[in-house]
Amino acid sequence: KPKRPMNAFHFFSADFRSNKKELLQGVRLGECTKILTQEWKKLSDREKAPYLEKSKEMRIVYAKEMEEYKKEVSKLTPVGIDTSLLEQVVKLKSNVGAQSFTSKFQYWYVLTFIPDLQWVHLIPLKKVGVFGPEYPEAHGRTIWMIEDEGNELDTTAAMCTVVKSQTIANSEDADDEQWVIFDGEKPKLAPIFAVPKALQALKEPIKPTNPPNSNSLFCADAKTKTNIEELKGKKCQENLFRSLDSLNMDQKRPYREQEAKLQSSYEKEMKKYRASLEEWKRRISNVQFRPHHGINQMGKEPTKPKKYPTSYSLF
């Protein structure tokens, strides 16, 4: 099975460890993680961009590898196989004999289940907050998401008890999924709320897009000045990179100045965006939701049962 890709923070951590070994020398693992987290938070959106882009590329590769993996597994999987534990949320019946770290986690997600061996590969779930009013069926309940790699567990299916859960923020990537868990109770969905007009008018502000750097600006400019027939595939890229390398400082200056202007404009837009976002969150938290019991879970009025015919009608 393909290994799950590292996220942006993991790429940054690996880069930081290799470039600034002296800062982490002799530091304990827990302290080391704190330092890396603090350094990551200090980065601007622009500085984080390369790591986010690398993580995105790796996820695309991982998705393709997973498709191939699933095809290969389907060839080996007999029809009617038991998949009752696959992709379920479970809790362990006992921590006896398991690794010491397992006691820290209450719930687990089943990544792999092999029925013939009754073997499961689990990854823990962590609390990341509380669902807001935009999810009426889970409003006020804990948000559960997959923990980062490193705490996965292999055990027998007999050790697992399936708990009632519901995927709220569904995603192709399990890392981004969010669950609400109903342990020991039936899912009691909150009544559908009539969406107030005040909420309908409150639209989440749109985040500004990152501006292109000087290299991208040069490439875009070069493409407009080059014969379109020459702009095909790798040849196009090679020509552009060769042209970029041949530029002197004076020739690069206009693109760098343009980059600086765009970056300055972007930072101003981001400042407005952050203020708008905080205001939007504040206003949405003040909106009062009122239960609308005359509407069913699909947002339609329930169908009224037909009356039984009288004896006269039957006659």
Side-chain angles (χ1 to χ4, degrees), residues 74-81 116:
S74 64
K75 293 175 186 176
L76 303 172
T77 305
V79 177
I81 194 165
D116 292 347

Side-chain angles (χ1 to χ4, degrees), residues 231-242:
L231 304 179
K232 289 184 180 178
K234 288 184 179 179
K235 260 192 175 179
C236 168
Q237 290 182 346
E238 288 170 5
N239 289 341
L240 288 171
F241 289 138
R242 204 177 294 117

Side-chain angles (χ1 to χ4, degrees), residues 95-149:
N95 291 319
V96 177
Q99 290 97 319
S100 57
F101 69 83
T102 57
S103 57
K104 293 194 299 182
F105 303 107
Q106 190 176 359
Y107 301 111
W108 303 74
Y109 178 72
V110 182
L111 284 173
T112 311
F113 172 48
I114 301 179
D116 292 347
L117 303 177
Q118 285 296 290
W119 172 89
V120 288
H121 182 65
L122 310 174
I123 189 165
L125 297 178
K126 61 182 177 182
K127 297 178 184 179
V128 295
V130 176
F131 285 107
E134 62 270 28
Y135 299 107
E137 67 273 32
H139 186 198
R141 289 185 174 273
T142 302
I143 300 171
W144 293 88
M145 290 184 74
I146 280 179
E147 178 69 66
D148 292 334
E149 285 186 14

Side-chain angles (χ1 to χ4, degrees), residues 173-291:
D173 188 348
D175 286 350
D176 299 326
E177 285 187 353
Q178 295 179 351
W179 288 271
V180 58
I181 294 175
F182 308 91
D183 191 3
E185 58 177 301
K186 292 181 180 178
K188 294 179 182 177
L189 297 181
I192 287 295
F193 290 85
V195 180
K197 288 183 179 178
L199 182 61
Q200 294 175 17
L202 292 175
K203 292 185 178 179
E204 187 176 352
I206 298 168
K207 187 176 181 179
T209 53
N210 284 318
N213 59 26
S214 56
N215 293 348
S216 302
L217 291 167
F218 165 76
C219 292
D221 192 28
K223 281 188 178 184
T224 59
K225 297 174 182 176
T226 310
N227 188 346
I228 200 71
E229 291 299 317
E230 298 174 14
L231 304 179
K232 289 184 180 178
K234 288 184 179 179
K235 260 192 175 179
C236 168
Q237 290 182 346
E238 288 170 5
N239 289 341
L240 288 171
F241 289 138
R242 204 177 294 117
S243 301
L244 183 61
D245 290 337
S246 66
L247 296 183
N248 58 38
M249 293 302 291
D250 289 334
Q251 290 170 319
K252 287 181 180 179
R253 188 175 293 112
Y255 300 108
R256 287 182 175 171
E257 288 174 354
Q258 194 177 350
E259 179 190 1
K261 285 180 183 177
L262 290 171
Q263 186 62 31
S264 174
S265 175
Y266 169 74
E267 284 168 4
K268 288 177 184 176
E269 288 175 6
M270 277 299 294
K271 195 173 180 181
K272 288 180 185 176
Y273 165 75
R274 290 189 189 103
S276 302
L277 188 63
E278 287 303 315
E279 176 64 14
W280 177 79
K281 286 179 180 177
R282 186 190 65 77
R283 291 178 68 186
I284 201 170
S285 65
N286 293 331
V287 174
Q288 296 295 317
F289 286 79
R290 295 183 180 179

Side-chain angles (χ1 to χ4, degrees), residues 39-52 210 263 266-267 270 274:
E39 291 296 326
W40 173 254
K41 287 179 179 177
K42 287 178 186 176
L43 297 184
S44 64
D45 290 343
R46 188 182 175 191
E47 290 170 320
K48 287 180 181 178
Y51 302 109
L52 293 167
N210 284 318
Q263 186 62 31
Y266 169 74
E267 284 168 4
M270 277 299 294
R274 290 189 189 103

